Amino acid sequence: MKTIYLSSAYLAPVEYYAKLVAYDKIFIEQHDHYVKQTYRNRCTIAAPDGELALSIPTVKPDTLKCPLKDIRISDHGNWRHLHWNALSSAYNHTPFEYYRDDFQPFYEKKYEFLVDFNEELCHLVCSLIDIQPDMERTTSFQSSFAPNEDDFRERIHPKKNYKEEDPDFIVRPYYQVFQERLGFLPNLSIVDLLFNMGPES
């Protein structure tokens, strides 16, 4: 049985979902220290001018080393409205219409904790792309791993090159709405694949 440890992630990249399919058991880390500028609170989509990072603002924790499970979502900057508009405009000419009603509640309801928001979004995406990963949250922070366990908590990261970090992940190009202008953009958020390819995802 193959096990993988992943960070919590907001509309994670395709690579992350490839791991959900490839492993028998998935642990989502919630006891790691929260780090900014990771997929924990940001995703990358294709916009008309290229890659666009959408970040969820978080409430600044009282301590420097705050576990992710305690990180609260901030209402700062009207982010729900901005993210929803960005998704709606970027994927206006795709099968996005079929998924609008599934995703819209996430940008209307106020979630208190980032891990809860990420987890519920992840469950929705899994159901829409028809995968049933065996996932659960960690109960403590683990720093050593058995031979059949892989630690990808910091390897799937917007600042790292997925080709170097994860040579097993092979990108398969698919149709993207701005492809003629931008070329194919690999390893964007899973919603880029879903909204462009629909049930074929």
Side-chain angles (χ1 to χ4, degrees), residues 54-65:
L54 301 175
S55 296
I56 298 174
T58 55
V59 176
K60 195 173 188 319
D62 299 331
T63 57
L64 274 175
K65 294 185 173 177

Side-chain angles (χ1 to χ4, degrees), residues 39-51:
Y39 288 125
R40 289 172 183 84
N41 72 321
R42 74 191 276 183
C43 68
T44 308
I45 64 168
D49 297 326
E51 293 187 8

Side-chain angles (χ1 to χ4, degrees), residues 1-200:
M1 187 164 121
K2 291 198 309 178
T3 300
I4 190 169
Y5 284 76
L6 295 170
S7 67
S8 173
Y10 169 47
L11 296 177
V14 173
E15 177 190 8
Y16 187 100
Y17 281 85
K19 297 288 176 250
L20 299 188
V21 176
Y23 284 81
D24 306 304
K25 181 75 188 178
I26 296 105
F27 285 102
I28 305 298
E29 185 61 71
Q30 59 167 356
H31 293 275
D32 51 341
H33 298 314
Y34 177 65
V35 184
K36 287 183 172 179
Q37 297 192 334
T38 65
Y39 288 125
R40 289 172 183 84
N41 72 321
R42 74 191 276 183
C43 68
T44 308
I45 64 168
D49 297 326
E51 293 187 8
L52 175 66
L54 301 175
S55 296
I56 298 174
T58 55
V59 176
K60 195 173 188 319
D62 299 331
T63 57
L64 274 175
K65 294 185 173 177
C66 180
L68 182 70
K69 67 182 178 64
D70 297 333
I71 292 292
R72 287 177 163 79
I73 293 174
S74 167
D75 288 329
H76 182 73
N78 204 9
W79 72 268
R80 291 179 186 85
H81 179 70
L82 293 173
H83 285 209
W84 184 246
N85 278 1
L87 290 167
S88 301
S89 61
Y91 298 107
N92 200 14
H93 301 293
T94 70
F96 172 66
E97 280 304 309
Y98 296 106
Y99 302 109
R100 178 182 286 275
D101 293 345
D102 295 312
F103 284 90
Q104 195 156 10
F106 287 93
Y107 297 93
E108 290 171 347
K109 178 183 169 186
K110 288 192 176 181
Y111 284 78
E112 185 175 5
F113 292 100
L114 182 64
V115 283
D116 297 336
F117 180 72
N118 287 348
E119 183 176 76
E120 286 193 31
L121 256 178
C122 183
H123 286 310
L124 168 66
V125 170
C126 287
S127 69
L128 293 174
I129 61 175
D130 199 22
I131 62 172
Q132 293 88 31
D134 180 2
M135 289 192 290
E136 65 181 81
R137 294 187 190 184
T138 56
T139 53
S140 61
F141 187 79
Q142 193 168 330
S143 52
S144 58
F145 298 91
N148 64 332
E149 297 179 327
D150 288 330
D151 177 13
F152 270 83
R153 293 172 300 185
E154 297 302 327
R155 289 170 69 184
I156 299 176
H157 194 289
K159 302 260 189 256
K160 292 181 180 175
N161 182 339
Y162 68 87
K163 292 175 186 169
E164 293 170 7
E165 290 292 327
D166 187 8
D168 291 338
F169 174 60
I170 309 297
V171 170
R172 288 194 188 162
Y174 54 88
Y175 169 80
Q176 290 177 329
V177 73
F178 304 114
Q179 192 165 350
E180 284 190 5
R181 189 183 324 166
L182 305 170
F184 178 75
L185 301 174
N187 207 25
L188 296 180
S189 166
I190 188 66
V191 292
D192 185 76
L193 174 60
L194 179 65
F195 295 159
N196 280 304
M197 299 304 291
E200 291 176 55

